[in-house]
Amino acid sequence: MASLREFLLDKGYSRIRLFPTPTNHLELKAKINGTEGSFILDTGASSSCIGFEFAAHFGLASEESDVLAAGAGAIDMRTELSQNNHLKIGKWEMNGLDIVLFDLSNVNTALENHNAQAVHGILGADLLNGGRAIIDYQYNCLYLR
């Protein structure tokens, strides 16, 4: 019997290593519009998000949004929306990704208070659904197709 890894690679999935943080989050490297950054993989986040302060770093053009974000101990946070971005994780790529920009300081303060590195953003369910994601928690891997 083939291992999960062999089976998924045979089905055309790409394997991406995930790195557990001291806070038990899973972190990964990804490129947005050709620029690399560090991200938390969050199965509970509906949208992928980047902090306002990193918009220029990733070349994100954005517009004000009427949607207020909530999460990570904060509610009713102002957001902006950046549409039609390119995401690359390992060999896997996704075009047309919409990214929510919001104040990521609460997230990064919490990470740093627990001796974890700050991140550029959060990759959420939009990525997971779009990539038909499978997470292998035993081996800390994300598979995308």
Side-chain angles (χ1 to χ4, degrees):
M1 176 184 247
S3 68
L4 177 63
R5 177 181 182 171
E6 292 167 334
F7 176 79
L8 292 173
L9 292 176
D10 205 39
K11 295 291 183 188
Y13 277 82
S14 294
R15 180 178 181 265
I16 296 109
R17 282 287 319 263
L18 300 172
F19 300 93
T21 68
T23 58
N24 288 323
H25 290 95
L26 296 174
E27 189 175 327
L28 68 153
K29 300 289 185 197
K31 287 185 179 180
I32 295 184
N33 301 328
T35 302
E36 187 173 271
S38 295
F39 298 87
I40 288 175
L41 184 65
D42 187 346
T43 61
S46 58
S47 301
S48 294
C49 308
I50 290 180
F52 285 126
E53 65 271 31
F54 303 116
H57 176 75
F58 291 107
L60 302 176
S62 62
E63 299 175 354
E64 288 286 330
S65 172
D66 292 333
V67 176
L68 295 176
I75 58 169
D76 295 338
M77 294 182 290
R78 182 180 72 84
T79 64
E80 293 181 9
L81 181 63
S82 177
Q83 297 180 312
N84 201 28
N85 295 284
H86 180 260
L87 172 67
K88 185 173 184 183
I89 307 172
K91 296 176 184 175
W92 184 85
E93 297 184 58
M94 178 181 192
N95 288 309
L97 178 67
D98 293 344
I99 297 172
V100 175
L101 286 96
F102 77 114
D103 182 355
L104 194 63
S105 62
N106 287 341
V107 172
N108 280 328
T109 298
L111 290 171
E112 291 168 349
N113 285 343
H114 289 90
N115 299 316
Q117 296 295 314
V119 295
H120 294 99
I122 297 165
L123 297 177
D126 48 357
L127 154 79
L128 297 170
N129 287 327
R132 298 187 206 154
I134 295 172
I135 301 172
D136 182 346
Y137 287 97
Q138 181 179 1
Y139 294 105
N140 294 319
C141 294
L142 171 67
Y143 292 90
L144 297 170
R145 183 167 75 166

